[in-house]
C-alpha cells in the first residue's frame, strides 16, 4: 500500500472513529455502549497523532478528566470507578494534550507509584517464577500482571521516573514473567511446571515498556512477535503487534493493519480497535507509546 | 516437585485459590437436603446430528420456556486453542444449541463470553472456527468483558464482596445457558457448568485474568456467581474433553457425550462422575449441595445414557488424586 493509500485509509478510519464518539464526549468500547476511559484515552491519543485540532478533543478531555478520582487514579466510568488499570492510558492522553492537565497527570503518577499490589513473598516452591517483585495489578490490591504493568511503566517512564525504585521493580517483574521460549502472556509463564503460551498483545505491550532495557529476552520476544505476522486475524491483537513493531523500528505492518481493518465488518469493528489501528500506523517520531530513554 | 506435600500446596493456594484434594481428608458426605434434579446424558459426535441430539436432550430434561425470549449462550472460550488441545467449547455445539433454541421459539439467541486469559475474544473465535459459523447462522457475538456493566448485590457471602459487576447483555437475557467444555482444572478440580459462569464477570472490571476471584478462593467465586445469577440451563460439551493439566495444558479425551440439564450442580455432578471423578471431592460442588442443587447420585434422576455406559476416567495431576473415584 503506497503512502497515499495509507493516508486515505487513515483518514477513513479517523472519520469513523470521530463518528463513533458519544454525545457526552467520550468513546465506548463498542458503538452503542456508554463512554469508557480506555477507548476514550486511546481515541484521544489517535486524534493527537492525526488531527490535533479536531473539535472532538475538548469534550473528550473534559469527559476523561471527570473520571479521575481523589487519589489520582482513573476509573472506567461513573458505573465502575474503581478500576485502576486504565490510569496510565488516561494520564498519557491528558499529558499529550496540554499542560492544563499537569496536575491530573502528576496525580496519576503519584497514585501509580504508591499503588497497593499483592505479592507472594517469598516465592512459594511450587511457582516457577518470582512472585515477590511487584508490578501493577488490574485492580488495587491484587496480583501483578503483564498488561497493567506494561502500561504503568510506559506512562511513568514518559514522565521521567525511569530510575524510580518502583519502576525498576516493575521492569524486574516483567522480566520475571517472560515465557521461557519467548514473549509474554497475561503474566504466568509457568504453572505447575508447565510452560504456558505467549500471547500477542501482552508481548507487544511488554516490549513497548522495556524499550531501552536492552536484553536477550526482549530480542527473543520481538522475534517471536515478528513471527506472528500473517497469523493474526483480529484487529485488537494486530494493532498492538503493529504498534510495537512500529515503535521498535522494526518492519512496518501498516499495510496489514489497513487491509484487516478494511476487511473487518462494521458490526465487528469497534472504536477501541479503530483507535489502536490508527496508533499502530502513527508516525514513529513522537509516538504516543514511545519512550525517550 | 511432585507429589507436593500439603504444606507446599497450602502456600500455593494463597495466590491461586487452589482447592484441596488430598486423599483421606475426611470430607463429609454432602447433604442434598431433599433437593432433586434431573440430568441427561446423550451420545453424539461433532457432526450433523448435534442439533437433533440437543433437541432429544430437551425432551429428556426440558429447558425453561424460551418462546419469544432472548437467550444468551455462554460457552467457554478461555484462551486461544493451541496444539489442537480441546480447551474451548466446540463451535459446532454452540451453533447446534443456538438453532435448537431457535426451533423452540427463542426470539433472539446471542453468543457471549469474556475469555479469561487474553483480551482478544475475536481472535479466539476466529481460531476455533466459530466466526464464519456465527455469520452463516446470523448469530451475534458479544465480548462480555467489554460490555456495559451493572452491579448486582452479591447474593452469596463467600467472596467478601458486597456487589458483583455483570455485563448488561447477560442481565438483559431472559435465559442464560452455560455451555462449558468438559475439563479437569488444576485448581478447582473440574471446570463445568458452574465454574464456566466465572467467565461472565467482565474483564474490564476484574482484569484478564480475574485475579480477585483467585485471591479470595476460586470456590467462593463460583458459589457467589451462581448464587447471584445461576444459569437457567446447562449443556456440557463432553464430546472431546481435557484431562491432566487442565484447563489449558492437558490432553484430549474422547468421551462422546453431551450432558444437559436445568440444574447446574446436578449437571456438573453427573459430568464429574462420567469423568471418573468424585463430585463430593470438588469443593465448590460439595458446598453447593443442598443449596444450589443436589450432587448426590441418589438425588439426581439420570436420563438418557447411564453414567456407567459412558464413563471415561480422566487422568488428574498428583495433587488431585483424591478426586479419583
Amino acid at each position: 500500500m503506497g503512502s497515499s493509500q495509507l493516508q486515505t485509509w487513515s483518514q477513513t478510519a479517523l472519520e469513523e472513529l470521530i463518528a463513533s464518539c458519544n454525545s457526552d464526549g467520550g468513546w465506548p468500547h463498542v458503538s452503542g455502549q456508554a463512554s469508557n476511559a480506555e477507548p476514550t484515552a486511546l481515541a484521544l491519543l489517535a486524534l493527537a497523532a492525526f488531527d490535533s485540532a479536531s473539535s472532538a478533543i475538548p469534550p473528550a478531555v473534559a469527559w476523561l478528566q471527570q473520571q479521575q478520582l481523589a487519589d489520582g487514579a482513573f476509573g472506567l466510568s461513573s458505573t465502575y470507578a474503581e478500576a485502576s488499570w486504565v490510569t496510565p492510558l488516561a494520564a498519557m492522553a491528558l499529558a499529550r494534550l496540554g499542560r492544563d492537565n499537569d496536575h491530573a497527570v502528576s496525580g496519576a503518577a503519584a497514585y501509580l507509584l504508591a499503588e497497593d499490589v499483592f505479592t507472594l513473598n517469598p516465592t512459594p516452591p511450587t511457582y516457577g517464577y518470582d512472585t515477590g517483585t511487584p508490578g501493577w495489578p488490574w485492580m488495587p490490591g491484587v496480583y501483578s500482571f503483564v498488561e497493567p504493568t506494561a502500561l504503568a511503566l510506559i506512562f511513568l517512564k514518559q514522565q521521567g521516573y525511569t530510575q524510580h525504585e518502583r519502576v525498576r521493580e516493575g521492569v524486574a517483574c516483567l522480566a520475571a514473567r517472560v515465557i521461557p521460549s519467548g514473549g509474554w502472556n497475561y503474566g504466568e509463564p509457568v504453572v505447575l511446571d508447565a510452560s504456558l503460551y505467549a500471547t500477542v498483545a501482552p508481548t507487544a505491550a511488554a516490549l513497548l515498556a522495556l524499550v531501552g532495557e536492552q536484553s536477550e529476552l526482549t530480542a527473543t520476544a520481538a522475534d517471536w512477535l515478528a513471527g506472528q505476522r500473517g497469523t493474526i486475524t483480529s484487529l485488537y491483537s494486530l494493532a498492538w503487534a503493529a504498534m510495537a513493531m512500529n515503535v521498535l523500528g522494526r518492519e512496518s505492518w501498516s499495510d496489514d493493519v489497513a487491509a484487516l481493518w478494511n476487511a473487518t465488518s462494521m458490526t465487528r469493528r469497534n472504536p477501541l480497535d479503530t483507535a489502536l489501528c490508527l496508533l499502530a500506523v502513527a508516525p514513529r517520531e513522537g509516538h504516543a507509546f514511545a519512550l525517550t530513554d | 516437585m511432585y507429589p507436593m506435600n500439603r504444606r507446599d500446596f497450602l502456600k500455593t493456594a494463597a495466590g491461586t485459590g487452589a482447592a484441596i484434594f488430598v486423599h483421606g481428608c475426611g470430607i463429609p458426605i454432602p447433604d442434598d437436603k431433599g433437593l432433586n434434579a434431573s440430568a441427561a446424558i446423550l451420545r453424539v459426535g461433532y457432526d450433523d446430528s448435534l442439533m437433533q441430539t440437543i433437541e432429544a436432550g430437551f425432551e429428556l430434561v426440558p429447558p425453561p420456556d424460551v418462546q419469544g425470549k432472548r437467550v444468551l449462550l455462554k460457552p467457554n472460550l478461555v484462551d486461544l486453542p493451541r496444539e489442537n488441545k480441546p480447551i474451548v467449547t466446540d463451535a459446532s455445539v454452540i451453533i447446534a444449541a443456538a438453532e435448537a433454541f431457535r426451533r423452540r421459539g427463542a426470539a433472539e439467541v446471542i453468543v457471549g463470553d469474556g475469555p479469561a486469559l487474553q483480551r482478544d475474544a475475536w481472535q479466539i473465535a476466529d481460531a476455533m472456527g466459530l466466526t464464519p459459523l456465527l455469520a452463516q447462522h446470523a448469530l451475534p457475538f458479544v465480548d462480555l468483558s467489554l460490555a456495559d456493566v451493572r452491579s448486582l448485590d452479591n447474593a452469596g457471602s463467600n467472596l467478601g464482596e458486597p456487589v458483583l459487576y455483570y455485563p448488561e447483555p447477560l442481565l438483559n437475557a431472559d435465559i442464560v445457558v452455560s455451555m462449558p467444555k468438559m475439563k479437569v482444572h488444576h485448581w478447582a478440580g473440574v471446570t463445568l457448568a458452574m465454574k464456566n459462569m466465572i467467565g461472565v464477570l467482565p474483564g474490564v472490571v476484574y482484569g484478564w485474568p480475574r485475579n480477585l476471584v483467585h485471591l479470595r478462593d476460586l470456590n467462593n467465586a463460583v458459589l457467589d456467581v451462581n448464587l447471584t445469577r445461576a444459569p437457567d440451563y446447562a449443556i456440557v460439551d463432553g464430546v472431546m474433553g481435557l484431562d491432566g493439566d487442565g484447563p489449558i495444558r492437558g490432553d484430549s479425551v474422547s468421551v462422546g457425550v453431551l450432558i444437559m440439564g436445568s440444574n447446574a450442580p446436578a449437571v456438573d455432578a453427573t459430568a464429574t462422575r462420567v469423568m471418573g471423578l468424585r463430585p463430593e471431592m470438588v469443593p465448590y460442588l460439595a458446598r453447593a449441595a443442598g443449596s444450589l442443587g443436589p450432587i448426590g447420585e441418589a438425588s439426581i434422576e439420570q436420563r438418557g445414557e447411564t453414567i456407567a455406559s459412558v464413563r471415561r476416567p480422566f487422568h488428574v495431576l498428583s495433587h488431585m488424586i483424591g478426586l479419583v473415584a
Side-chain angles (χ1 to χ4, degrees), chain A residues 126 192 197 233-234 237 268, chain B residues 2 12 83 119-120 126 146:
Chain A
T126 51
L192 296 175
Y197 306 101
T233 59
S234 176
S237 294
R268 175 167 162 169
Chain B
Y2 282 97
T12 304
E83 298 179 286
R119 288 193 56 167
D120 201 341
D126 292 345
L146 298 183

Side-chain angles (χ1 to χ4, degrees), chain A:
Chain A
M1 186 178 285
S3 61
S4 64
Q5 287 176 301
L6 191 62
Q7 194 169 12
T8 300
W9 169 78
S10 64
Q11 187 59 38
T12 302
L14 193 65
E15 288 170 2
E16 183 171 301
L17 181 65
I18 292 172
S20 64
C21 182
N22 284 335
S23 59
D24 62 5
W27 270 269
H29 276 109
V30 176
S31 292
Q33 294 183 183
S35 295
N36 189 290
E38 184 191 28
T40 300
L42 290 169
L44 280 170
L45 288 172
L47 284 172
F50 286 94
D51 186 6
S52 58
S54 171
S55 60
I57 291 178
V61 168
W63 184 91
L64 194 58
Q65 288 171 334
Q66 290 167 15
Q67 311 315 312
Q68 189 166 33
L69 307 175
D71 61 3
F74 281 79
L76 289 172
S77 68
S78 59
T79 305
Y80 183 68
E82 288 84 7
S84 58
W85 64 269
V86 76
T87 299
L89 284 173
M92 284 165 63
L94 293 179
R96 190 148 285 249
L97 290 166
R99 299 191 62 82
D100 288 346
N101 298 312
D102 280 357
H103 182 69
V105 171
S106 62
Y111 171 83
L112 288 169
L113 290 171
E115 185 172 17
D116 178 32
V117 58
F118 177 85
T119 57
L120 281 168
N121 210 348
T123 297
T126 51
Y127 281 79
Y129 64 95
D130 168 31
T131 59
T133 302
W136 274 269
W138 288 104
M139 305 170 72
V142 300
Y143 201 51
S144 311
F145 286 103
V146 168
E147 286 151 292
T149 297
L151 292 175
L153 287 175
I154 292 167
F155 165 65
L156 289 170
K157 286 184 171 186
Q158 290 177 341
Q159 293 302 308
Y161 290 101
T162 300
Q163 298 307 319
H164 190 285
E165 179 183 0
R166 188 71 180 82
V167 171
R168 302 319 304 164
E169 288 178 326
V171 170
C173 176
L174 282 187
R177 306 296 185 96
V178 71
I179 305 288
S181 56
W184 284 265
N185 63 6
Y186 59 92
E188 288 192 298
V190 176
V191 177
L192 296 175
D193 283 343
S195 179
L196 296 188
Y197 306 101
T199 309
V200 170
T203 298
L207 283 170
L208 289 166
L210 295 177
V211 167
E213 312 281 353
Q214 297 300 320
S215 74
E216 185 178 332
L217 71 89
T218 54
T220 303
D223 288 343
W224 177 86
L225 190 62
Q228 304 312 300
R229 190 175 191 181
T231 71
I232 304 168
T233 59
S234 176
L235 286 173
Y236 180 83
S237 294
L238 181 63
W240 270 105
M243 184 161 63
M245 293 287 109
N246 179 0
V247 173
L248 293 174
R250 292 186 61 143
E251 64 271 30
S252 169
W253 289 22
S254 295
D255 288 356
D256 305 51
V257 171
L260 184 60
W261 190 90
N262 285 330
T264 300
S265 69
M266 290 192 70
T267 55
R268 175 167 162 169
R269 241 160 41 201
N270 62 51
L272 175 75
D273 292 343
T274 297
L276 281 169
C277 286
L278 284 164
L279 285 166
V281 307
R284 182 167 176 244
E285 185 70 28
H287 194 283
F289 282 81
L291 303 177
T292 54
D293 58 5

